[in-house]
Amino acid sequence: MTDPMAGELQGPTPERSRKTRARVSPWIERTPVRRWVPDSGVAPLPAGSELFLKLELFQRTGSYKVRGALNNVLPADPATLARGVTAVSAGNHAISVAYAARAVGTTARVVMLSSANPARVERCRNFGAEIEFAQDGASGFARMEEIEREEGRVSVHPFEGEATVLGTSTVGLEIVEQLPSLEALVVPIGGGGLISGTASIVKQLAPACRVYGVEPVGADSMRRSLDAGEPVALDRIDTIADSLGAPHAAPYTFGLVQRYVDDVVLVDDDAIRSAMRALFLDAKLVAEPACAAPLAAACGPLRDRLAGRRVGLVLSGSNIDLDTFAMHLRAAG
């Protein structure tokens, strides 16, 4: 077989993904896949489709992010780890970095957005992290880099870089093993770390499977980057799906999305709320907005393309407080 990663862009391969899984497996769950047949009045799925949910919301930290965080932290040398780790995040990544730091016996100083969901802030603190707050993503990234320089901490990027993407590639590896005849896969996109790793492995091991990304209309950095042919930054973020609110696309993940993802579609906040409601009422799952975005896409812009297919949805996380969750469900009508 020709090496699919030949050329200047070197990304995950199945062999490297399996080695990564062996490294991180003591600290993560091999999350289950569930076949879901919802009531048509709750979730209007594509005609004749068969739906499977990859339940990363059952991961130990409540989201897939722990895979990449661990793969950044575990290989670091002890002298470097002794200085601790740092990260910037709207919540899920910060929680996972704090968990990874505790797993290796070091400290975490993380920068969270001031708008971060209270449940995520509390969970991050429960894993032992020291937290600073930033007004927006740009200032958050700047502060993370400052902490890295001043304190010598290991900086764990929320979506960019080989180690992070190798971590998320293990999601794709599990999906291919659990659903070998899958015909389409829908993955949420924030910065692109999850979809770039997942799609890389799915497309190498199951090339006939179509891989679609979904972004909120108010945080569409990857869609705009694909249209521009290069990574772009957003002037503002405006979506309830704060986990998908990356302020920019980045070269490594963008290149893998260009190579392996068939299309990226957009959904609005109302569609996301409706999907959250459907997952709660019928699948009995508490999904944060980002987690519900793939279902919103399957019932919306991807509906015709998914008709008659075996479809997987990656449900990415469930870190949300009860008041916010209830507010979104009420708004969904």
Side-chain angles (χ1 to χ4, degrees):
M1 176 185 288
T2 302
D3 180 3
M5 296 307 301
E8 69 279 3
L9 182 65
Q10 298 300 313
T13 64
E15 179 182 5
R16 296 182 73 202
S17 185
R18 292 185 186 102
K19 289 179 178 177
T20 300
R21 179 168 63 182
R23 177 185 297 124
V24 305
S25 61
W27 292 276
I28 68 167
E29 300 295 329
R30 187 177 190 269
T31 54
V33 166
R34 172 184 170 188
R35 183 171 180 263
W36 184 39
V37 185
D39 184 283
S40 60
V42 173
L45 295 183
S49 64
E50 190 175 11
L51 195 66
F52 299 88
L53 309 178
K54 175 60 171 169
L55 298 169
E56 279 296 291
L57 75 170
F58 289 163
Q59 195 50 262
R60 291 190 190 180
T61 59
S63 82
Y64 75 92
K65 287 281 192 179
V66 69
R67 298 173 184 263
L70 284 164
N71 198 46
N72 276 273
V73 172
L74 290 172
D77 67 88
T80 302
L81 277 180
R83 295 191 291 270
V85 301
T86 187
V88 60
S89 170
N92 287 334
H93 180 60
I95 294 167
S96 293
V97 169
Y99 173 87
R102 192 177 73 171
V104 299
T106 192
T107 62
R109 176 174 291 178
V110 300
V111 183
M112 300 183 74
L113 302 189
S114 56
S115 59
N117 187 278
R120 297 177 188 171
V121 175
E122 180 180 5
R123 193 160 196 199
C124 190
R125 284 203 175 104
N126 287 344
F127 282 128
E130 180 182 349
I131 301 173
E132 297 184 18
F133 291 96
Q135 287 299 115
D136 53 37
S139 60
F141 273 98
R143 178 55 183 151
M144 177 191 71
E145 293 166 0
E146 187 176 54
I147 292 171
E148 180 185 18
R149 289 193 307 270
E150 293 178 352
E151 302 182 20
R153 292 177 180 266
V154 176
S155 176
V156 184
H157 199 283
F159 56 84
E160 179 73 339
E162 184 177 58
T164 298
V165 172
L166 272 170
T168 64
S169 76
T170 61
V171 177
L173 194 62
E174 290 178 14
I175 288 171
V176 172
E177 293 169 350
Q178 293 166 316
L179 297 168
S181 59
L182 199 66
E183 295 175 284
L185 182 68
V186 188
V187 186
I189 298 178
L194 174 60
I195 196 169
S196 61
T198 300
S200 295
I201 300 305
V202 169
K203 283 295 193 178
Q204 289 175 68
L205 294 178
C209 181
R210 306 283 287 180
V211 179
Y212 300 104
V214 54
E215 289 183 303
V217 293
D220 58 345
S221 59
M222 191 62 71
R223 180 66 267 169
R224 293 192 189 199
S225 297
L226 292 170
D227 292 341
E230 61 182 3
V232 302
L234 299 177
D235 294 329
R236 64 190 295 265
I237 304 294
D238 183 17
T239 177
I240 63 169
D242 53 350
S243 296
L244 304 184
H248 61 269
Y252 183 72
T253 47
F254 171 71
L256 292 172
V257 169
Q258 275 189 313
R259 180 176 295 221
Y260 287 123
V261 176
D262 293 286
D263 198 6
V264 173
V265 301
L266 305 180
V267 294
D268 63 26
D269 284 353
D270 287 341
I272 291 173
R273 289 188 184 97
S274 293
M276 291 173 66
R277 182 176 183 273
L279 288 168
F280 178 69
L281 292 178
D282 198 291
K284 308 307 178 186
L285 296 172
V286 174
E288 63 179 83
C291 181
L295 178 60
C299 295
L302 291 176
R303 184 177 171 82
D304 291 342
R305 282 184 273 183
L306 299 180
R309 295 182 177 273
R310 286 169 55 87
V311 180
L313 307 181
V314 178
L315 301 192
S316 56
S318 61
N319 290 314
I320 187 169
D321 69 277
L322 293 177
D323 289 343
T324 303
F325 182 74
M327 176 186 69
H328 288 317
L329 260 59
R330 286 194 296 269

